[in-house]
Amino acid sequence: MAHARTYRTKVKVGNWNEDLRLEEDAMKEYLERKERGELAAQKVDLLKHNILRPVNLAVTKDGGLHFGDVVMLVNMGGENRESSALSINADINSLTKIPSPGIQAPCGVSAGRGIHPCTRTAFIITSVDGSPEGSTLHFEQSFALKTTSGFARGLYLTSDLQSFQKCAKKSRLQEVNLNDEGCFLSWWKVVQFDPQERLEYEGRPVTANVKVLLIHCKTNQALAVLGDQVIWTTYGKEYEVTAHTFLDSHKAEQDKNHWILCTSDPAGEGLVLLNRPESVAMDMERTQAKTGI
């Protein structure tokens, strides 16, 4: 109570001159930080303005996926979760202005419920075996998933063996994040979701906008979204993403591991997934028939 003011601010009592100088210094510091764009609100606005900027996904003419295609990875949801897209989970602490505004590595990922192609959800299919850009991606062929250049910095989707110090924050399973180094830890492969047809599809071209599995080459774990592990991010309520294969009683991967590599609809604006959902529905019925659900 010794420092509590019992008079109006106009009344000069105690160390009034010192209090006045402190208020002036605080205001000066605030204006300087505002001019440099260092206020928390300004950082959030800068982050959302750039990371939520719309991105044009690839348009496939032959129905397949190719190296260099910009795609969006979507999980159609399940019993305890909604449809979600693999997203960059960047906050104001991930921002850097050197040499230009962008996110810095390492950076986390999550599954956001907003299925909109933007810088946050766009990934580029990148060759790791010397395949030329524009060539067809095949099942079981190694490749990398890279964010777009510019603000997203072209970071690679990376994972590594689970350890006590390196694991997912909530589930404690194998961690998945974004790193600036393209190495064996960032290699993935597409696998047919139906175990009974997996060998038949090996080496075939990968079809866009159908359910597949994404397997991490080093650990042989499938990319998964966890509906029971909710995380609160700058963008709202989202799900944790990890690398872990979830099997049902039929030894088939659960819907947590099912992903759709979405492209733009050549017949018009938007996604094939949203404009023509009947193909996805037929694919889901086929899955249930095969697994006996």
Side-chain angles (χ1 to χ4, degrees), residues 98-109:
I98 301 175
S100 60
I103 59 176
Q104 56 185 350
C107 182
V109 293

Side-chain angles (χ1 to χ4, degrees), residues 62-73:
D62 57 3
L65 293 174
H66 308 82
F67 289 104
D69 284 354
V70 181
V71 297
M72 186 170 63
L73 280 68

Side-chain angles (χ1 to χ4, degrees), residues 109-246:
V109 293
S110 59
R113 295 182 294 171
I115 305 180
H116 304 289
C118 60
T119 302
R120 185 172 182 241
T121 58
F123 290 86
I124 303 173
I125 300 175
T126 307
S127 172
V128 297
D129 58 4
S131 299
E133 186 169 336
S135 60
T136 303
L137 175 68
H138 296 84
F139 283 98
E140 303 284 348
Q141 183 179 9
S142 299
F143 68 100
L145 285 169
K146 187 171 67 171
T147 61
T148 56
S149 58
F151 187 81
R153 288 290 194 267
L155 304 180
Y156 292 88
L157 188 69
T158 306
S159 187
D160 200 357
L161 292 170
Q162 175 190 5
S163 65
F164 180 76
Q165 295 181 335
K166 189 173 184 180
C167 58
K169 293 182 179 179
K170 301 203 71 175
S171 63
R172 312 301 293 177
L173 297 175
Q174 186 174 312
E175 183 183 25
V176 178
N177 57 16
L178 297 170
N179 212 315
D180 55 1
E181 183 180 359
C183 59
F184 186 52
L185 299 180
S186 61
W187 288 21
W188 302 81
K189 61 182 178 181
V190 177
V191 174
Q192 164 69 5
F193 72 90
D194 188 348
Q196 298 180 3
E197 299 183 0
R198 199 157 291 169
L199 288 177
E200 298 178 9
Y201 274 81
E202 186 173 348
R204 291 186 181 183
V206 179
T207 305
N209 304 298
V210 297
K211 284 191 297 185
V212 294
L213 304 179
L214 286 173
I215 306 296
H216 188 241
C217 291
K218 178 181 177 180
T219 62
N220 203 36
Q221 295 294 326
L223 188 68
V225 53
L226 307 182
D228 56 345
Q229 302 296 340
V230 176
I231 55 178
W232 289 94
T233 68
T234 307
Y235 318 93
K237 176 184 174 183
E238 299 186 341
Y239 306 120
E240 187 174 61
V241 172
T242 183
H244 186 82
T245 305
F246 293 90

